[in-house]
Amino acid sequence: MTRRRRCPGWVWFLAGLALTAAAAWFTGCDVGLLWARRDHLADILRRMFPPDWGYFARVWAPLWATVQMSVTGTALGSFLALLTAPLCAAGLGAVPAPVRHILRALVQVLRSFPALILALAATFLFGLGAFAGTAAITLYTFAIMTRLTYDDIDAAPDGAFTALTAMGAPPCRAFFAAVLPRIAPSYLANALYMLETNVRHSAILGYVGAGGVGLLLSEKLSWREYEKVGAILLALFLAVCLVESASACLTAIVTGRRKAGRGLRRAIIAASALLFLACTATVGPPDFAHASLRAVGNMLLGLVRPDWAFFFQGGTGGLGWLLLETAAIALAGTAVGAALSLPLALLGSGRLMPRGAAALFRLIPMAVRSVPFLVYGLVFIRATGPGAFTGVLTIAVCSVGLVTKRFTEAIDGMDMRAWDALAAMGVPALLRVRYALLPQLLPAFGSAVLYRFDVNLREASVLGMVGAGGIGAPLVFAMNRFQWPTAGAIAIGLVLMVWLVDLLSARLQKR
Amino acid sequence: MFLEVEGVSKSYDNGRVRALDGAGFAVAEGQFVSVIGPSGAGKTTLVRILNGSEQCDAGSVVLAGQRLDQARGRAKRSMQKRLGTIYQDFALVENVSALANVLTAAVPDMGFFPAALGLFGPDRRDRARRLLDRVGLADKADTPVQDLSGGQKQRVAIARALMRSPALLLADEPVASLDPVTGRQILELLKDIQRAEGLTVVMNSHNLDFARAFSDRLIGLNAGRVVYDGAADTPDEALTAVYAAAPEAAP
Ligand SMILES: Nc1ncnc2c1ncn2[C@@H]1O[C@H](COP(=O)(O)OP(=O)(O)O)[C@@H](O)[C@H]1O
Ligand SMILES: [Mg+2]
């Protein structure tokens, strides 16, 4: 029996480790420096607590704008995605294949941009304020939701749809009757998840003038009024907790894990509609005073006619170098974040810890997650100075929330029967971990880390905005100076990088 | 006797639940014995004590002249190496291949580092493949267990147990989660293997028909006590004590 031997898992593991080490070296990771400056960080934290309670009163209005942008943006973006996804799905044949490929490519392009960059672009069209932020969140949600939804449609069995169209039902009707009910739970769950992340995303949009609590945050941080920063962060934490618990509850209902009667369902739908209307009706109108068709035209022209000289420029100032730095920040940051997440996940698992303690430990990643990532950048920069290392630290800390959550879920979901069976055959404990637990955990850990890496790639590409390295600084600089060909070149570079990483992670996911 | 169980008791929840209450019997080498009894009689607890997963409170378990119940650590593991167990819910690692599951049974015979790195070597791999062939799954060796049917999963579990070349094969309701037709096929396979290899089998079953059809001898358990021990082809009346409501269970 001769068979092709597959490369064993640990070879991949070592390769990943080597790549991560290279990324850490490239970004100048220096734990000694962090340790030497730990007082700076401790000092900032000490000044945030206790927060300036009196300042709370000033926080509510921008906080509401933040929630408003995320609710409206998520709802509109998800709705538009539901209309677009069927056109992108291969199985339905709603549009000819070339059109479908173009649509998919456009969605992929849109998906490459962080919400903050979309918001910055939106401020050029709609002026400063919450309208631009809402538009950015809508676009951002639309891109991600379209992708998730057409993946779901493609994955759903198409027998019923084919049967209905074969009987002469119009494709649209068949879609509503056969496909929509199948994808609805996962669509709604995804939309709720987007709502959670969008609250955090919209909290930083103010940084580029797109409304919400971000403007206040960056202002107070730069004036070093940390007591006020503490107040804003606490308010944000409460808002995030509220949204997350509401969304967790709704997710349980839409995925059928929790039963809800007809009355309750109606009440939830009515309340959601009311919330959406309240949020949408009060979004400030756009301010077209500074926008002109010419400006929009120039912007698009930049994308079509980018600065190829800059695109192909080598050396440390070139686009390739900056993108490499961005990817290295994302990689090293994701790795450090995953390493931090593992002990937190073990502590937060109800399997290993008493229930009360586990619940307490679960608050840590939740609190870490509620702070917008640029805030970490602004805080770390006070300790480690501008540069890629600050970017790595930022990415690492903001990965902790999501990765810990996924790790904890995987640990809680472990099936211990094989563990018992191996014990009964006399397999020692460490090897039981190797053979009964790791096979269950590693795929879940791997996909959590890959997913987070994908997100981090985008976050790393705006870190430059606060001086934490990567492609962000030149991009924002170019946009603010209306250097659209340069911005276009960078945008194309970003799209290519995200696309490449997507392909890679799809390959890895298959393993 | 090959396996001697004497006065084994086990209680849970600080003595509030008596799962086994002085159960005792002996099994000769090469016998196929079925332990029957209603749900909650203590069958699973008995198997868990026989394979060392659980410690009994009192009594003794002697396997081939050695005390299993008093062994600890390495000595206990070296006794456990001579046992194979199959379970009602298969207890396989679902997201790895059938072959990988069978190979896990080779781990106790290997040094730490080869085992940790998964270096099983061609001999063990060939043996695992032959065993999968023996249980009729030659073409499913590389299929993840989660893609197999219930009957196929139990076949993998049998191959895993056989990989240990066990002196004693324990089976805890091996067909209770399968449909009757598949269940009968699995038991026929088990019986086949038992005859061919001269295996000693102790099988739990709440299905009296299956127990009768496949075993040499029945042991009836009720409320943790052995209330019947004898031939498999006994008339139903002889087994009334086995299925009588336990005094504790009466409302
Ligand atoms: N781990 C446990 N903790 C508490 N009670 C248990 C445990 N395992 C078994 N029992 C109790 O012991 C009794 C016998 O259980 P079991 O051996 O599973 O019976 P059977 O397998 O014959 O159905 C039952 O009353 C059961 O509730
Ligand atoms: Mg049982």
Side-chain angles (χ1 to χ4, degrees), chain A residues 60-420:
Chain A
W60 297 126
L63 190 64
W64 167 244
T66 301
V67 171
Q68 198 178 17
M69 289 192 296
S70 33
V71 169
T72 303
T74 308
L76 285 181
S78 305
F79 178 69
L80 292 176
L82 190 58
L83 297 185
T84 314
L87 305 181
C88 297
L92 302 182
V95 292
V99 180
R100 186 175 75 232
H101 290 308
I102 292 172
L103 273 175
R104 282 191 179 206
L106 283 178
V107 168
Q108 175 67 20
V109 166
L110 207 53
R111 234 168 57 82
S112 314
F113 298 113
L116 205 58
I117 295 300
L118 295 177
L120 185 56
T123 56
F124 292 122
L125 302 181
F126 306 119
L128 301 180
F131 192 91
T134 310
I137 294 289
T138 305
L139 263 187
Y140 181 76
T141 309
F142 165 73
I144 295 181
M145 281 299 288
T146 305
R147 169 69 185 272
L148 290 174
T149 310
Y150 77 63
D151 278 349
D152 277 348
I153 296 178
D154 281 346
D158 58 355
F161 179 81
T162 320
L164 278 180
T165 44
M167 287 189 300
C172 187
R173 187 92 57 78
F175 174 77
F176 275 106
V179 182
L180 197 57
R182 280 206 174 257
I183 60 162
S186 115
Y187 169 79
L188 289 173
N190 286 336
L192 286 167
Y193 176 70
M194 283 308 293
L195 178 66
E196 291 175 29
T197 51
N198 282 343
V199 172
R200 265 165 282 137
H201 276 126
S202 23
I204 51 168
L205 295 187
Y207 201 77
V208 295
V213 81
L215 183 63
L216 224 51
L217 257 180
S218 70
E219 195 181 286
K220 296 307 166 204
L221 270 169
S222 55
W223 292 346
R224 312 206 170 182
E225 293 183 291
Y226 294 120
E227 310 73 24
K228 295 191 169 136
V229 173
I232 300 172
L233 290 183
L234 189 61
L236 199 57
F237 173 65
L238 293 179
V240 168
C241 281
L242 194 75
V243 170
E244 292 209 350
S245 43
S247 140
C249 183
L250 287 180
T251 305
I253 290 176
V254 297
T255 52
R257 269 181 289 124
R258 185 184 294 187
K259 289 274 162 285
R262 182 178 281 258
L264 183 58
R265 260 163 207 273
R266 283 200 183 144
I268 289 171
I269 292 172
S272 311
L274 218 63
L275 180 67
F276 172 69
L277 284 179
C279 288
T280 310
T282 52
V283 170
D287 169 18
F288 287 117
H290 305 284
S292 69
L293 274 180
R294 262 236 343 260
V296 178
N298 283 339
M299 213 157 129
L300 293 178
L301 220 59
L303 271 177
V304 182
R305 282 210 302 249
D307 181 352
W308 291 115
F310 176 60
F311 191 87
F312 290 112
Q313 184 186 329
T316 49
L319 182 67
W321 178 272
L322 289 169
L323 285 175
L324 193 63
E325 188 180 53
T326 307
I329 291 175
L331 183 60
T334 310
V336 176
L340 293 176
S341 301
L342 191 58
L344 279 175
L346 291 173
L347 288 173
S349 158
R351 277 228 148 135
L352 306 168
M353 299 291 289
R355 263 171 188 283
L360 266 181
F361 278 115
R362 269 180 218 211
L363 274 182
I364 298 178
M366 179 112 160
V368 169
R369 204 148 51 118
S370 73
V371 178
F373 76 97
L374 276 187
V375 174
Y376 289 116
L378 290 168
V379 169
F380 279 127
I381 220 162
R382 304 258 192 276
T384 49
F389 179 41
T390 301
V392 173
L393 289 176
T394 308
I395 294 292
V397 171
C398 52
S399 305
V400 161
L402 181 91
V403 176
T404 304
K405 189 172 165 204
R406 294 276 194 92
F407 280 12
T408 308
E409 279 165 8
I411 293 171
D412 283 346
M414 270 186 321
D415 177 355
M416 298 303 281
R417 289 175 298 192
W419 167 276
D420 290 339

